[in-house]
Amino acid sequence: MSTTQSERLRALLEPLVSSQGLDLEEIEVDSVGRKRVLRVVVDSDTGADLDRIADVSRALSAKLDETDAMGEGEYTLEVGTPGAERLLKEHRHYVRAVDRLVKFELAEGGELEARILKVDDDGLDLEVPGVKGRKATSRRLAFPEIEKARVQVEFNRKDKKEEEA
């Protein structure tokens, strides 16, 4: 049974990332001409600030230097977070997106844009924004109904603290 390079890298690096209190979200190896880039995406329930990313980057670099996991030749290691418009794939991603606006592609077809209010084992409680002055409505969405979900960037949303003041 053969494993891909990404699977071997995940097996090698995931315990190290976990020991830093982070989740290993994604590993990607790209070749651009003769250059290779290893992109590692990490996150946690409380986020990952620059200091934590720097710490895990140093630890990963040291681990990769002591193994032949990347094979011969030079490569660049990039460690970062999922970004603002992250794709939601795992249960923990939905939990981390509570209070965020998300665009859903539904399994039955169509799209829905709504704010995640609550996440449980079966699905999501959502608030669907009202259109043209109408009130927002509540909706329940089970995980099997979701084909794809991506967090949306909001530039004009007020913080809860501002709304409560």
Side-chain angles (χ1 to χ4, degrees), residues 57-77:
S57 181
R58 282 189 290 275
L60 294 178
S61 182
K63 185 66 155 179
L64 289 165
D65 286 348
E66 69 186 39
T67 70
D68 66 347
M70 284 299 292
E72 296 295 317
E74 292 182 18
Y75 66 91
T76 302
L77 172 63

Side-chain angles (χ1 to χ4, degrees), residues 100-132:
R100 302 287 307 272
L101 191 65
V102 176
K103 186 174 194 174
F104 298 93
E105 289 181 24
L106 304 176
E108 294 179 357
E111 293 181 342
L112 171 68
E113 194 166 272
R115 188 169 312 284
I116 298 176
L117 300 176
K118 183 181 170 193
V119 180
D120 59 35
D121 291 340
D122 301 317
L124 314 168
D125 290 337
L126 305 173
E127 178 184 72
V128 181
V131 180
K132 296 183 181 179

